[in-house]
Amino acid sequence: TNAGQDEAATGAEAEAAPETVRNTDAAFDLMNTESLGSLKLGLTQKEVLAQLGKPDAKSKAIIWEADGLTHQEWNYKTKGIVLDMSGQSENDFTLGSITITPPCTLKTKAGIGIGSPLTEVTNAYKSYIDPELSDTAYVVAGSVYGGVVFTFGNQKVSSVFIGAAAE
């Protein structure tokens, strides 16, 4: 009778797993394929510098316990862009997350940017939106572990974040 119980357990797990895996994969696919203009995760520091030039300010480079990588914030204040650059060292940084705020004019692949209405965001990303983490102030497309987070003021986008909001 133990064999039957094991089979039943395995069958239930097999049924539950694909949905979870698919959602996680979709979230990571969205995070890794989405862009703001030509900025996307994984760009090298050389590629970022070629696109944006030197940042207005850089934070101190620190090692995060969560991932063991060295992180540094690059702030392009006049462009409304903040980047988290990370890597094994400051010499091999890649783009780990992107946050845009006004006056940034960059748009996502779906054409969403600062000032876009809430309804446009929910329509553009409806298959990715996590309803438990979304309301009229925030919309999480994908998940906090990897995706796109839209913040709203007066039902219009006030910031866009691409990356992992939680470690």
Side-chain angles (χ1 to χ4, degrees):
T1 56
N2 277 351
Q5 287 173 330
D6 289 347
E7 274 181 43
T10 307
E13 285 167 23
E15 282 177 35
E19 189 179 329
T20 312
V21 169
R22 188 171 60 246
N23 290 344
T24 304
D25 286 351
F28 281 104
D29 286 349
L30 175 64
M31 176 179 78
N32 290 318
T33 59
E34 184 59 273
S35 61
L36 282 158
S38 52
L39 285 178
K40 63 183 197 291
L41 301 192
L43 290 178
T44 65
Q45 60 187 13
K46 196 179 251 180
E47 291 169 318
V48 170
L49 291 168
Q51 283 189 37
L52 297 175
K54 287 195 166 133
D56 300 317
K58 286 183 183 180
S59 70
K60 196 172 145 204
I62 52 170
I63 296 173
W64 285 11
E65 282 184 35
D67 61 12
L69 297 174
T70 299
H71 287 256
Q72 186 176 53
E73 187 177 280
W74 289 15
N75 194 330
Y76 293 86
K77 293 175 184 157
T78 56
K79 295 182 170 106
I81 300 170
V82 177
L83 307 176
D84 173 57
M85 302 297 291
S86 63
Q88 294 299 325
S89 73
E90 290 182 56
N91 299 324
D92 71 349
F93 277 155
T94 57
L95 182 49
S97 76
I98 307 165
T99 305
I100 64 163
T101 55
C104 191
T105 56
L106 298 176
K107 304 252 190 261
T108 67
K109 287 182 178 176
I112 302 297
I114 302 301
S116 294
L118 175 62
T119 52
E120 271 183 35
V121 174
T122 52
N123 287 338
Y125 291 93
K126 62 178 160 262
S127 62
Y128 293 104
I129 292 172
D130 183 336
E132 290 181 20
L133 298 172
S134 302
D135 55 29
T136 57
Y138 297 96
V139 168
V140 177
S143 83
V144 292
Y145 301 104
V148 184
V149 180
F150 299 92
T151 307
F152 295 87
N154 298 323
Q155 309 262 318
K156 296 213 181 295
V157 174
S158 58
S159 76
V160 180
F161 169 86
I162 299 176
E167 289 295 333

